[in-house]
Amino acid sequence: MTGCDDDMKARVLDDFEGRWRMTRRIVQGDGTRAGLTGEAVWRRVEEGLLCEEAGELCVEGQPPMQAQRRYMWRDDLSVWFDDGRFFHIVPARGGACAHWCDPDQYDGQYDFSRWPEWRCIWQVRGPRKDYRMVTDYSWIGPLKG
C-alpha cells in the first residue's frame, strides 16, 4: 500500500480493497455542521468491490447516531448506489467528477496525492440540497480472514 511513487500512479480497483479509517465533515448551506467518524471497508464480491461505510454521525444540536452506506465499485472505477443506480466514475489519478440527481447537482473532487491517505470532496447544490462534504480516508490494513 505504500511506496515512493504510489502518490503519482493511477489508482486501480485493487488499491482500495481493505479497511480505511474515515472522517467526514459536512457543512450545510445554512452553516449547520455535522461529522462522521468511522470505517470504510472495500470487500471483494463478484461485481467488484463492495464499499461499506459505517460510523457515528454527530449533527449539531442532536444526539449522535449510527450511520451506514453501501456502494458498489467496479473495475473501471465506476461507483454505483446499493440499489443499482449509477453514481459516478472515480478519476484514476484524482480530479473532478459529477453526478446529477434531479434536481440537485453533485460536484466531486478526488485527491490521491498523499496515498495511502486520500480525500473526496462533494459540493452539492440545488433546490433540495445545499452542502459541502469532505471525507478523509487513511489506510488501516487488509481484511482479515
Side-chain angles (χ1 to χ4, degrees):
M1 260 312 141
T2 61
C4 295
D5 297 323
D6 268 356
D7 61 339
M8 300 307 290
K9 79 175 202 175
R11 298 289 115 202
V12 296
L13 187 63
D14 288 344
D15 292 337
F16 297 94
E17 188 172 5
R19 297 175 52 224
W20 298 83
R21 187 169 296 103
M22 179 179 67
T23 304
R24 179 169 289 154
R25 295 171 308 286
I26 305 163
V27 179
Q28 299 287 341
D30 67 3
T32 303
R33 296 179 179 274
L36 183 134
T37 303
E39 193 171 295
V41 175
W42 276 261
R43 182 182 325 278
R44 178 66 56 190
V45 294
E46 186 177 330
E47 300 89 355
L49 291 180
L50 177 62
C51 173
E52 297 176 295
E53 299 180 345
E56 184 177 74
L57 177 64
C58 297
V59 180
E60 285 180 352
Q62 298 182 25
M65 64 187 96
Q66 292 301 304
Q68 56 186 6
R69 185 74 194 212
R70 294 166 50 131
Y71 302 95
M72 178 60 60
W73 285 45
R74 299 212 172 120
D75 285 337
D76 62 357
L77 295 184
S78 62
V79 180
W80 301 76
F81 293 108
D82 62 356
D83 65 5
R85 291 177 300 130
F86 174 73
F87 184 16
H88 67 286
I89 294 180
V90 175
R93 294 188 184 278
C97 60
H99 173 71
W100 173 250
C101 184
D102 195 17
D104 301 307
Q105 176 65 36
Y106 288 66
D107 292 311
Q109 183 74 33
Y110 281 84
D111 181 357
F112 300 127
S113 64
R114 297 182 59 215
W115 190 268
E117 294 178 2
W118 56 284
R119 172 175 283 180
C120 180
I121 299 171
W122 286 100
Q123 181 69 55
V124 183
R125 288 201 174 97
R128 294 188 314 173
K129 299 176 183 171
D130 181 14
Y131 66 87
R132 178 179 170 86
M133 181 169 70
V134 179
T135 307
D136 291 310
Y137 298 88
S138 58
W139 177 247
I140 296 173
L143 299 174
K144 304 234 192 261

